[in-house]
Amino acid sequence: MIKRIENIENTAIELRKSHYSRVILSHIQTYGTEYDFCELYELRQKGRRAAVFVSFNGSLTADILEGASLGGVSLRETAEFVRFKSPYTVELPEDMTGKTGISGYQRSKRYFYEITPWKSADGIEIDPDAETVYATAFSGNESNYGLWLTDTVRRKNKDLLRLYSYKSSVLTLKFRSGGMAYIADVATPEEDRGKGYARALLGGVAKLMADDGYTSYLAANDLTRGYYDSLGYKLIGSDNIYKIKDSINYEQIL
């Protein structure tokens, strides 16, 4: 049975050491359970909590709890829950989906790479102008800027998220948890690509994180993994991320 957790206070959740759990924890730390756009759910199996879900702004992330495993009934209930919520993107481990994936969703391969720290972080700008970061990372799509900025500021105020740049390249440190620092939205303006700016930025930020005791990592797809292979980054895992096939339905939902 899946039901919503209304109050996170005094709620014990034994998360696994995984990317999914780190995403879930970052949402909980940022918003708790007091907002309708950030909902926390639990899946109970044989009277015990076995998995948790976070529904956040059109996305759904889930993970099995430490020491738990899901039976066939729970797997079917998970698939039904995803279809009921109809998020635009879904990320959850294969032991929650099975090899068949999720009906109505397109499965795309994702690759996780460990970023090699440079010996120095010279030239790395900490907390650059947020509007510039957004314009570079998202090609100036102004329609979503307000939502992105509100979320970014909130996470920064919670000391979860950080922005960095090197010359014209930018990236976002999404969160740090369990000795791991997750980096996303790495971007360089088209006219400056090939100059080594992104490589220097990644290496410098990984150095800053290593100094604080964190291993930096990021996610790539089939189009971008060749770049990270060329930098010599270590492949540390892979999974599937799901996107809804019916984009018109998603627009209606929002």
Side-chain angles (χ1 to χ4, degrees), residues 29-46:
Q29 290 174 325
T30 304
Y31 294 104
T33 55
E34 57 184 301
Y35 297 95
D36 289 338
F37 59 80
C38 185
E39 301 172 334
L40 179 64
Y41 295 87
E42 64 173 353
L43 185 154
R44 300 190 71 85
Q45 183 175 253
K46 297 180 179 180

Side-chain angles (χ1 to χ4, degrees), residues 138-175:
F138 301 102
S139 301
N141 185 354
E142 296 181 4
S143 62
N144 294 323
Y145 176 66
L147 180 62
W148 176 88
L149 182 62
T150 299
D151 184 61
T152 294
V153 170
R154 174 119 185 170
R155 292 176 190 273
K156 283 176 62 179
N157 289 340
K158 296 283 186 177
D159 196 27
L160 297 173
L161 179 149
R162 300 178 185 183
L163 303 176
Y164 295 93
S165 67
Y166 177 80
K167 297 188 182 297
S168 61
S169 292
V170 301
L171 64 75
T172 300
L173 174 71
K174 288 286 191 179
F175 50 76

